Structures are given as C-alpha cells and as structure tokens.
C-alpha cells in the first residue's frame, strides 16, 4: 500500500481509492483542486503500489489495513471516502464496517458485474486480458474491444488514463480484483438498510449495468443520492477534474 497526502494543513479529510489497474496517480488532476480546502489522502492499495511485492486479496483485507492506518495516522476518522470503480468495493467495506469513523461515501461507477451462470467468462478471460494489457500499456493506441464494451466511455480520455496504471501488477491481483467485483453486490445484499447513511452514487449516463446496481445500492442506502453524468461512460469523470472537484465539494457541503 502507498499513501500520498496533500493539503495536510486542512482539518476535513477525504480519502481517494482508485479503480482496478490504477495507482493513486489516477487522481493527480483533481488533487490540486481539492487540497486547497481539504486534507486529501490518495491511496494505492495492495497490488497497485508499483512495488510488485504486494497482492490485492479482498476488499475486507484492504479495509482492515486502511482502518489501521486511519487509527494510527488520522485520529481514527475520515470525513469522506471516494471509491472509483473497483475502489468502491474497498470504500464500501470501509464505510459499512465503521471500525473507524467514515462520515460519508461516494461510489463512482460501481457497476453491477455479475453475469450469473456466465460469470466464469469474466474470471477466465478478463484478468489475463488486463495483465497482458499492462505489459504493453504505453504502446496501446486504441482500447481493446472488451474494455470499450465495459466502459462505453470516451476512448481518448480512457487512453489518457493509462499513464496512471500501476507498475508491476501481478496476475493474482487482477484475478482477485475480478472475483471481488463479482462478489460486491452479493455482499451488499446482506447489509441492513441504513437510511441515515450519507452516500452518493456517481455514474455515467452511457455506463452499462448501472440500473441493477442502483436498485441494490438504494436498498442498502435508501437516501443515497443518485448522480448521473450526462454523456459520460465508465471512468470518464476522471477526465473532467473540474467537474469531479466541484461535485465532491458540493457533496461535502451538503
């Protein structure tokens, strides 16, 4: 795990958890817009910290590690945790457990990935495809068809994000991340409804598989704010740091 801290002079704290394949650098463009008002904590989780010495295992295990960090380094409390894409699994577990105080949560692009009896296709093909992609990331000039199908986003903005891909990602990390993506909503289905939870659900209007995700998240968090971004696909919000910062700040103020 790698933790980068910005705006440490500010008292209100935001933790940013990047998506699959990504390091904390995924948030490089939005951090300067947030650190003027907030203490920003950007995390590369295990498996994505560039070292090649750690492996992402489960969202629970990562939440436990972050809880220890928050207790030791952040006085046991964070005002807001934002999980981008797969980072939402760890963010959701951290928020649900409340072993440390997490005031509010934004889930950005928490797609519903379970394909029922065909889920084996994801676990068999996607991690290997992602692993091969990480080995040639700098020379890629167009999105693989599976990634395009999954994101429905702006190709160039997503290609630009390849500069934030973590180094030395193992196949085991990518396999475990895929399993966690499939397990996310069965886990959420076990949560008792929490109408007091301060939650926002961000997604692109072009993003697939969000209707089912919204149904399940609204059951768990009945008063969650649904926040569609018109014309965006999965991950496109990262390419609009001004919009992202504006809406994080607005949510914090609300």
């Amino acid at each position: 795990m790698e933790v980068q801290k910005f705006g440490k002079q500010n008292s209100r704290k935001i933790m940013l958890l990047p998506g699959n394949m990504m390091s904390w650098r995924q948030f490089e463009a939005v951090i300067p817009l947030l650190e003027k008002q907030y203490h920003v904590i950007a995390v590369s989780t295990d498996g994505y910290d560039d070292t090649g010495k750690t492996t992402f295992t489960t969202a629970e295990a990562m939440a436990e590690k972050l809880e220890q960090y928050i207790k030791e380094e952040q006085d046991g409390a964070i005002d807001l945790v934002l999980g981008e894409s797969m980072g939402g699994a760890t963010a959701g577990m951290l928020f649900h457990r409340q072993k440390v105080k997490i005031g509010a949560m934004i889930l950005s692009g928490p797609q519903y990935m379970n394909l029922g009896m065909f889920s084996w296709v994801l676990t068999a093909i996607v991690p290997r495809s992602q692993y091969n992609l990480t080995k040639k990331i700098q020379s890629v000039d167009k999105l693989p068809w599976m990634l395009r199908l999954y994101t429905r986003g702006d190709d160039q903005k997503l290609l630009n994000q390849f500069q934030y891909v973590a180094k030395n990602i193992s196949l085991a990390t990518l396999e475990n991340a895929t399993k966690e993506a499939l397990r996310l909503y069965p886990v959420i289905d076990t949560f008792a409804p929490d109408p007091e939870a301060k939650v926002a659900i961000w997604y692109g209007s072009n993003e697939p598989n969000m209707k089912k995700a919204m149904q399940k998240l609204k059951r768990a968090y009945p008063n969650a704010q649904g926040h569609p971004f018109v014309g965006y696909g999965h991950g496109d919000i990262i390419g609009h740091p001004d919009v992202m910062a504006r809406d994080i700040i607005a949510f914090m103020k609300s």
Side-chain angles (χ1 to χ4, degrees), residues 56 123 127-128 130 170-180:
F56 177 83
T123 56
R128 177 65 65 176
Q130 291 172 332
S170 70
L171 179 59
T173 281
L174 295 170
E175 287 173 338
N176 290 338
T178 300
K179 291 174 185 175
E180 286 298 277

Side-chain angles (χ1 to χ4, degrees), residues 20-21 47-48 55-58 86 119 122-131 169-183:
N20 192 21
M21 298 174 61
Y48 303 95
T55 302
F56 177 83
T57 54
T58 66
M86 182 56 201
S119 291
L122 291 179
T123 56
I125 296 175
V126 169
R128 177 65 65 176
S129 175
Q130 291 172 332
Y131 183 71
I169 304 174
S170 70
L171 179 59
T173 281
L174 295 170
E175 287 173 338
N176 290 338
T178 300
K179 291 174 185 175
E180 286 298 277
L182 291 172
R183 201 170 69 92

